[in-house]
Amino acid sequence: MDITYDYYRIFYYVARYSSFTRAADILLNSQPNITRSMNNLEKQLGCSLFIRSNRGITLTAEGKKLYKHVSIAFEQLNAAELELSNTTLENGIVTVSASETALHGILLPVLSEFQSLYPGVRIRITNESTPQAVQTIKNGLADFAVVTTPADVKRPLKETKLKDFEEILVCGKQYAFLSKRTNHLEDLQNFPFICLGKNTKTYEFFSDFYMKQGLLFKPDIEAATADQIIPMVIHNLGIGFVPAPLIEPERGKKELFVIPLAEKVPTRSICLVENTSHPLSTAADRLKAMLSAPLQSAH
């Protein structure tokens, strides 16, 4: 059966993220092209791979079987490419798996500086949740990950703290009256709440925080990424905690309001996760050093 590798590559991303749109974004392609490719793959294989509904897509039994094999092959090819790539500072490749908060909180300005210093080095960034990013490191598909705590890593993975940040509770104009007083979490439980999904460390973090206050954490809306929360809040779909690095661009626009809290939200950290059993390339090691520099200069 002569099926193009591109179809399997597209299938891998669609299946991994359960989204044609997300796959299109990652592959720098259009959604119609992604959909057309998957329809062609189903036709060539003679079976349905996806169950399509208004709530998104899920894999059929056949789709799950195919993904089990495709994911292994795809990840091994990526790992081989990383190993065989030139790893000098003139023309190497660095692959970083990053969460949204880490990307905006520390990674982007450092990447800009790195690229100006080493223009010959190619940089690949995958935007993933902390659990996904950690799994990517375990699978050898990235040099290191820059994510938010809690990361819960175990040897041979190593976690290095890079920067602390705060989670800030915000609302849109409809709930702006909440910004004029100090609120207790218990008093806010009747307001619609927006948070990342249950498979994220952010959800786990706030579940634990609420539990320590004797409260049940029950978000009304689950966002896929942290940067989706702000537009939802601005459009008055609810209130929600947003990492401080993501709020900075919104300050002064008078669409986002900070809700003062009586309870102190624990500080979180942006950290670097690496696999100590796999030595970093020259280029990756240099980027790691640049990311660690702000922390070192603070001591």
Side-chain angles (χ1 to χ4, degrees):
M1 191 176 296
D2 187 18
I3 298 178
T4 175
Y5 167 73
D6 280 344
Y7 284 176
Y8 287 126
R9 183 167 66 100
I10 293 170
F11 171 78
Y12 171 82
Y13 282 108
V14 172
R16 180 173 182 179
Y17 295 105
S18 299
S19 170
F20 288 101
T21 302
R22 186 82 187 275
D25 291 341
I26 292 171
L27 295 169
L28 302 179
N29 208 324
S30 68
Q31 185 173 335
N33 284 342
I34 296 296
T35 302
R36 189 180 307 111
S37 295
M38 292 301 90
N39 288 340
N40 289 340
L41 179 60
E42 288 179 320
K43 187 180 298 183
Q44 287 185 254
L45 291 173
C47 63
S48 295
L49 301 172
F50 307 101
I51 300 172
R52 299 161 173 84
S53 69
N54 293 334
R55 301 184 63 181
I57 65 166
T58 55
L59 292 175
T60 62
E62 292 78 9
K64 290 177 181 178
K65 290 178 182 178
L66 180 62
Y67 180 71
K68 181 180 178 181
H69 294 284
V70 168
S71 61
I72 294 172
F74 185 80
E75 290 168 2
Q76 287 299 315
L77 286 171
N78 269 354
E81 185 178 329
L82 281 174
E83 285 187 22
L84 295 174
S85 63
N86 194 318
T87 56
T88 70
L89 288 171
E90 283 71 41
N91 55 357
I93 299 175
V94 181
T95 301
V96 181
S97 182
S99 66
E100 197 71 35
T101 301
L103 188 67
H104 291 277
I106 192 171
L107 191 55
L108 286 176
V110 176
L111 285 176
S112 178
E113 181 184 357
F114 182 86
Q115 191 173 51
S116 67
L117 291 172
Y118 312 108
V121 177
R122 289 175 56 199
I123 300 172
R124 294 174 177 168
I125 305 295
T126 62
N127 186 204
E128 300 173 298
S129 67
T130 294
Q132 290 173 330
V134 171
Q135 188 60 48
T136 296
I137 299 304
K138 288 180 180 178
N139 293 345
L141 300 179
D143 291 291
F144 55 78
V146 185
V147 295
T148 54
T149 56
D152 297 334
V153 303
K154 298 178 180 178
R155 294 177 63 87
L157 300 189
K158 177 185 176 183
E159 174 185 323
T160 303
K161 187 175 78 169
L162 300 177
K163 181 181 180 181
D164 292 332
F165 70 93
E166 295 180 341
E167 292 278 0
I168 300 175
L169 187 59
V170 294
C171 63
K173 290 181 180 179
Q174 183 175 327
Y175 303 107
F177 61 91
L178 294 173
S179 67
K180 303 182 186 301
R181 68 191 190 211
T182 299
N183 303 267
H184 289 272
L185 283 177
E186 186 175 8
D187 300 329
L188 299 173
Q189 291 223 291
N190 290 328
F191 292 91
F193 198 88
I194 306 167
C195 185
L196 296 185
K198 292 182 179 179
N199 61 334
T200 65
K201 289 298 179 180
T202 294
Y203 187 100
E204 180 182 315
F205 172 83
F206 283 111
S207 293
D208 183 63
F209 174 54
Y210 269 63
M211 184 176 65
K212 288 178 179 177
Q213 309 303 319
L215 301 172
L216 186 63
F217 186 60
K218 298 186 299 182
D220 299 274
I221 299 176
E222 294 184 5
T225 58
D227 65 330
Q228 291 180 353
I229 297 177
I230 290 179
M232 290 182 182
V233 167
I234 289 175
H235 285 83
N236 302 306
L237 295 180
I239 64 176
F241 284 99
V242 177
L246 299 185
I247 290 180
E248 289 305 320
E250 303 298 326
R251 290 191 185 275
K253 293 184 180 180
K254 298 181 179 179
E255 293 181 308
L256 202 65
F257 301 84
V258 174
I259 301 175
L261 267 184
E263 294 84 359
K264 173 65 176 176
V265 182
T267 299
R268 299 180 69 187
S269 300
I270 296 173
C271 63
L272 184 144
V273 177
E274 60 185 308
N275 190 335
T276 58
S277 65
H278 296 147
L280 293 176
S281 67
T282 302
D285 193 54
R286 179 57 186 147
L287 178 56
K288 173 191 170 184
M290 291 176 67
L291 283 165
S292 302
L295 183 65
Q296 293 169 356
S297 63
H299 294 319

